[in-house]
Amino acid sequence: MKDTERIEMALPLIIEWYAASRRVLPWRESPTPYHVWISEIMLQQTRIEAVIPYYRRFLAELPDLPSLAAVEEDRLLKLWEGLGYYSRARNLKKAAQLVMERCGGELPSRAEELKKLPGIGDYTAGAIASIAYGEPVPAVDGNVLRVLSRLLACGDDIMAPATRKTMTRLLQAYYPSGDAAGLLTEGIMELGETVCVPNGEARCELCPVRRLCRAFREGTVDRFPVKAPPKARKIQQRTILLLRCGGKVAIRQREKKGLLAGLWEFPGLDDAQDEASLRNLFPDALSIQPCGEARHIFTHVEWHMTGFAIELPRELPEYLWETPQTIGERYSLPTALRFYQSQL
Ligand code: SF4
């Protein structure tokens, strides 16, 4: 059987299966364009269970596009705190402002138009356009690539853009429109999340396309998808300083560009320091105490952090000084520093 025939026959089965067995999730209760957009952005790089409370909190405070366009950046980042990849939140606000200015407050309905907004790529545009507007366009993410590569027993590297393009084209040719478009988009993702799962745990006995699946038939499910190994992450040593003075702690804002742009953080040094070298940097410190080691993994870099609590006789003017309680309530600190925040 040709790949195209396999796809053509599999898609209606996935729609039928999804319509009958989908999980109830908050953004599925009323899939308006705004709801689909916010949920899809939150779900990038984040598990569904982790997203649910954030999604509810976000929607309770910013229920529509105008409220998102008008929110203060600090408040927005606070709502996003813990989800990571903060540029996603900033892009949401930027896009909302553009939609208010240029599109009369309505998210565009076509994927091609949606892609012109900040933070909306092929995948998110396809998801919004098909789920909320019924446009016959696919949304191809890692789940979809896994299902398709097994269904077709396709050995192409799923991390390669060319593979994504080929899979998108294959799906596109048979994509339905209207309600079925949304059901299919969510259905393939759901299949990848709950049945055709990674790491040798595929539950083929529950799969609606088992009869058509080439990898299942050939007993090669565990060989797919093929993924080129990722490049090794760069390890960066850091020293985190909890500078204290009279019950307050020093924080500073990160640069507006780059990793964790614009977030607040404890001062830090981009190398590993010890007590003796810190004594040279802070000669009048009243005390210098180690306060633990922590690691944090970003996409391309890994921080290996060593922390020191340093009691100073006076506040240094280059930092902002706040009580631990105010820091917790008002400032968004990255998850990478959560361990040190818990030491305050
Ligand atoms: Fe995935 Fe198994 Fe279904 Fe094939 S039969 S698509 S491997 S769950």
Side-chain angles (χ1 to χ4, degrees):
M1 189 187 294
K2 285 191 201 154
D3 285 355
T4 46
E5 283 173 62
R6 226 179 271 278
I7 294 275
E8 188 178 10
M9 289 167 76
L11 300 190
L13 296 174
I14 294 173
I15 293 174
E16 202 180 308
W17 167 82
Y18 176 70
S21 63
R22 63 178 154 184
R23 291 171 295 173
V24 177
L25 295 171
W27 43 89
R28 290 181 180 166
E29 285 159 17
S30 108
T32 64
Y34 182 69
H35 291 169
V36 175
W37 178 37
I38 302 297
S39 64
E40 287 299 338
I41 299 291
M42 284 188 172
L43 286 165
Q44 290 168 12
Q45 329 266 1
T46 313
R47 285 176 309 109
I48 288 180
E49 300 71 37
V51 162
I52 291 173
Y54 281 94
Y55 176 81
R56 291 195 197 282
R57 206 156 50 104
F58 194 95
L59 265 282
E61 190 158 332
L62 306 173
D64 47 28
L65 253 153
S67 55
L68 173 58
V71 68
E72 292 287 335
E73 180 155 316
D74 275 350
R75 185 60 205 148
L76 176 68
L77 296 181
K78 194 73 196 157
L79 284 170
W80 205 266
E81 189 177 37
L83 270 178
Y85 302 97
Y86 289 81
S87 57
R88 292 185 291 171
R90 288 204 188 82
N91 280 332
L92 276 176
K93 179 178 154 88
K94 267 191 234 157
Q97 286 172 323
L98 280 173
V99 171
M100 292 305 292
E101 284 161 22
R102 298 187 195 161
C103 316
E106 292 269 333
L107 265 181
S109 62
R110 312 227 9 119
E112 281 309 314
E113 292 302 311
L114 285 161
K115 276 192 258 178
K116 294 178 185 163
L117 295 169
I120 299 190
D122 291 342
Y123 165 78
T124 311
I128 300 170
S130 60
I131 298 170
Y133 292 112
E135 188 185 355
V137 284
V140 178
D141 70 350
N143 285 314
V144 176
L145 288 169
R146 183 168 57 256
V147 172
L148 293 183
S149 70
R150 287 173 175 170
L151 179 65
L152 307 175
C154 168
D156 297 343
D157 171 14
I158 59 160
M159 302 308 281
T163 310
R164 186 176 292 253
K165 263 195 197 147
T166 309
M167 297 294 192
T168 304
R169 240 183 277 126
L170 261 175
L171 280 178
Q172 179 79 66
Y174 300 102
Y175 232 74
S177 56
D179 287 349
L183 290 173
L184 180 55
T185 297
E186 294 196 285
I188 311 186
M189 285 183 213
E190 184 106 327
L191 191 61
E193 279 159 9
T194 62
V195 176
C196 195
V197 291
N199 306 328
E201 290 175 11
R203 302 158 73 201
C204 301
E205 68 285 0
L206 303 176
C207 181
V209 295
R210 193 180 56 209
R211 208 169 39 84
L212 295 165
C213 179
R214 197 171 149 198
F216 176 73
R217 230 195 32 225
E218 295 173 359
T220 55
V221 172
D222 292 345
R223 284 195 216 151
F224 302 99
V226 171
K227 244 189 209 183
K231 280 193 212 145
R233 276 188 216 97
K234 197 172 127 198
I235 307 259
Q236 199 178 350
Q237 303 290 341
R238 303 211 71 218
T239 304
I240 306 298
L241 305 175
L242 299 183
L243 302 177
R244 302 166 189 268
C245 179
K248 292 190 173 175
V249 178
I251 53 173
R252 66 182 179 187
Q253 197 165 20
R254 289 179 66 86
E255 303 273 326
K256 291 280 179 206
K257 285 197 172 155
L259 187 67
L260 306 175
L263 293 187
W264 291 84
E265 65 171 2
F266 303 117
L269 301 162
D270 288 334
D271 55 9
Q273 302 268 342
D274 58 16
E275 238 170 287
S277 58
L278 290 173
R279 181 59 70 188
N280 287 333
L281 280 174
F282 300 97
D284 55 352
L286 305 174
S287 67
I288 299 181
Q289 299 282 339
C291 64
E293 296 186 351
R295 289 185 179 194
H296 190 81
I297 295 172
F298 299 93
T299 311
H300 302 296
V301 68
E302 197 170 320
W303 278 2
H304 290 191
M305 298 171 280
T306 309
F308 289 90
I310 303 179
E311 192 69 37
L312 295 173
R314 66 192 69 81
E315 293 179 2
L316 301 175
E318 60 267 44
Y319 303 123
L320 186 70
W321 294 80
E322 296 282 11
T323 63
Q325 191 185 346
T326 308
I327 292 174
E329 286 167 3
R330 287 205 210 137
Y331 298 90
S332 328
L333 268 69
T335 312
L337 296 179
R338 196 166 275 170
F339 170 76
Y340 294 104
Q341 196 169 4
S342 73
Q343 307 290 305
L344 294 180

